[in-house]
Amino acid sequence: SAVISQKPSRDICQRGTSLTIQCQVDSQVTMMFWYRQQPGQSLTLIATANQGSEATYESGFVIDKFPISRPNLTFSTLTVSNMSPEDSSIYLCSSRGQGDNEETQYFGPGTRLLVL
Amino acid sequence: AQSVTQLGSHVSVSEGALVLLRCNYSSSVPPYLFWYVQYPNQGLQLLLKYTSAATLVKGINGFEAEFKKSETSFHLTKPSAHMSDAAEYFCAVGGTGFQKLVFGTGTRLLVSP
């Protein structure tokens, strides 16, 4: 399985500001994913990030609001731009496993964001 | 298109009782099915997965799930609940070809002494 870390683990931000969340995987992976989990809700996929190409965004999510970088095969960042209280959520990074576990997604611990 | 339905947003059991969390799926391709657990203030941890091998899948912490194609179900069970099992449980469906995972709405398991 992949071991995934995220920074920061939590943050409190003012509306109108931006926050960049970092995600580090302990092995090289092709695909990384960013999810949002709003309070008391399930996970919603924001985008899929492949190294060397533009991220693919799901319906309802746009690059201007959630720009993503994927500079190499072990790292990605998600920025939440021009934040509002509605952006208060847990943001989770995930990646696929390797070999026999390629169909499985493994998750980081999440970043808990509160926007005031 | 794929989808998952988890019946019951909350399930309450007594310690030592059987745990049954229900998951039904819809998929136009042979599905891969997953159960994840989320403890308070933590990320998602993989409990078990079905990837077209044995239909009865054993996972961590004594959990298991059975894939029933005729019922399009993948219910999660544990013979005897422990207080430490209290958490949120998510069922998810994926498929081959790097299809994304689609998650259910989650079931919160409450375990009373």
Side-chain angles (χ1 to χ4, degrees):
Chain A
S1 66
V3 177
I4 302 173
S5 60
Q6 288 184 233
K7 290 182 184 179
S9 59
R10 59 181 66 240
D11 208 342
I12 301 174
C13 300
Q14 297 298 318
R15 69 173 66 207
T17 63
S18 298
L19 176 71
T20 295
I21 302 168
Q22 299 179 9
C23 178
Q24 180 77 50
V25 186
D26 70 337
S27 57
Q28 294 185 339
V29 294
T30 304
M31 302 176 78
M32 295 178 72
F33 306 87
W34 287 99
Y35 288 85
R36 181 175 72 182
Q37 186 179 21
Q38 294 179 300
Q41 302 293 317
S42 186
L43 280 74
T44 302
L45 181 65
I46 297 171
T48 302
N50 291 326
Q51 193 270 336
S53 63
E54 294 283 336
T56 302
Y57 289 82
E58 297 297 307
S59 175
F61 297 96
V62 295
I63 188 171
D64 290 347
K65 175 66 175 178
F66 297 102
I68 288 171
S69 79
R70 183 78 202 274
N72 58 52
L73 291 174
T74 64
F75 187 78
S76 178
T77 66
L78 170 76
T79 299
V80 186
S81 303
N82 188 24
M83 288 184 285
S84 67
E86 291 72 33
D87 294 319
S88 298
S89 295
I90 302 172
Y91 292 87
L92 294 134
C93 169
S94 78
S95 75
R96 290 188 177 273
Q98 303 291 314
D100 291 343
N101 293 315
E102 195 174 44
E103 74 293 330
T104 302
Q105 285 190 28
Y106 298 93
F107 287 82
T111 296
R112 283 149 182 81
L113 172 62
L114 176 63
V115 184
L116 302 177
Chain B
Q2 297 178 307
S3 66
V4 168
T5 301
Q6 290 185 243
L7 295 176
S9 59
H10 292 79
V11 170
S12 296
V13 299
S14 300
E15 192 171 22
L18 171 71
V19 175
L20 171 61
L21 304 182
R22 300 178 185 274
C23 173
N24 287 88
Y25 72 91
S26 173
S27 178
S28 57
V29 298
Y32 293 161
L33 293 158
F34 307 84
W35 275 100
Y36 289 88
V37 60
Q38 185 176 34
Y39 298 103
N41 297 313
Q42 295 188 27
L44 270 68
Q45 180 181 4
L46 180 68
L47 268 180
L48 50 79
K49 62 182 179 181
Y50 166 78
T51 57
S52 74
T55 56
L56 181 62
V57 181
K58 295 186 183 299
I60 62 172
N61 302 338
F63 285 93
E64 64 181 38
E66 186 172 9
F67 172 71
K68 292 187 177 180
K69 184 178 179 179
S70 61
E71 299 177 7
T72 61
S73 68
F74 190 58
H75 301 332
L76 182 70
T77 61
K78 182 174 180 178
S80 177
H82 192 273
M83 295 294 289
S84 61
D85 294 326
E88 188 87 18
Y89 291 80
F90 292 96
C91 182
V93 62
T96 59
F98 303 114
Q99 292 188 30
K100 65 181 182 181
L101 284 184
V102 176
F103 284 84
T105 51
T107 297
R108 182 168 297 276
L109 177 64
L110 306 169
V111 183
S112 56

